[in-house]
Amino acid sequence: MEIVVPHTIPDDERVWVPQAENVHFRPLCLNVSQGYWVNLLRVRKSGVLSRHRHPNPVHGVVLKGRWRYLEHDWVATEGSYVYEPPGETHTLVVDDDVEEMITLFQVNGVMAYVDPWGKHLGYEDVFTKIDMCRKHYEACGLGGEYVDQFIR
């Protein structure tokens, strides 16, 4: 069954799911049968977000603002497409002069959080994303079942 999201960047602030301080995501597709998710990542404060790696490729399109990886010399600016190869460790940074960054990501498989030495600290996958959404939507009044429209 298809998913049609008329307002990708929602008018209702409750649709954004908190992930960390000043970091939110907006689910678009949570595919449990193939193990991937598509979401908007929104950051409203500068700083280092996370050091992580993926066993599968990740695709991103910057809709607003910009960001970079400490491990590379390029900057993903508004309108940029980014392909992240499997297995690479990178650290996402939003610079001080960026008020808001929004990027559409498709993450395939697991996102593993690691420390500077590569030690595993935690992970996210489509199932942890669904759990985060359900908990947030229940707490904010949209109802836990609100996330169901994005699950395939």
Side-chain angles (χ1 to χ4, degrees):
M1 184 166 59
E2 70 279 344
I3 298 173
V4 177
V5 180
H7 301 285
T8 306
I9 299 177
D11 296 327
D12 188 342
E13 190 64 25
R14 298 176 301 166
V15 175
W16 291 99
V17 179
Q19 184 167 310
E21 187 177 352
N22 298 306
V23 180
H24 295 80
F25 71 93
R26 190 264 201 269
L28 297 170
C29 179
L30 302 161
N31 191 303
V32 297
S33 63
Q34 296 180 350
Y36 71 83
W37 71 92
V38 179
N39 68 193
L40 298 181
L41 178 68
R42 181 183 74 184
V43 180
R44 287 190 162 163
K45 182 183 178 187
S46 64
V48 174
L49 267 65
S50 66
R51 178 178 292 104
H52 61 275
R53 74 171 59 109
H54 310 273
N56 298 304
V58 172
H59 303 271
V61 176
V62 182
L63 304 178
K64 184 175 184 183
R66 69 181 187 284
W67 55 271
R68 61 189 173 88
Y69 285 139
L70 288 179
E71 297 79 7
H72 295 286
D73 60 1
W74 51 262
V75 176
T77 58
E78 198 167 300
S80 295
Y81 164 78
V82 175
Y83 168 79
E84 301 177 12
E88 181 181 276
T89 298
H90 37 248
T91 310
L92 196 148
V93 174
V94 175
D95 291 317
D96 289 340
D97 61 339
V98 177
E99 288 184 29
E100 182 176 64
M101 179 279 281
I102 299 175
T103 299
L104 182 142
F105 282 109
Q106 177 179 338
V107 180
N108 301 290
V110 174
M111 186 163 87
Y113 295 105
V114 295
D115 70 11
W117 302 273
K119 181 182 174 191
H120 179 77
L121 299 174
Y123 75 95
E124 289 183 354
D125 65 13
V126 67
F127 301 103
T128 63
K129 288 297 208 186
I130 290 169
D131 291 345
M132 291 170 70
C133 290
R134 198 172 303 285
K135 181 179 176 184
H136 169 71
Y137 292 145
E138 189 64 43
C140 77
L142 289 173
E145 68 283 352
Y146 185 81
V147 70
D148 294 344
Q149 66 187 301
F150 308 113
I151 299 174
R152 292 296 178 269

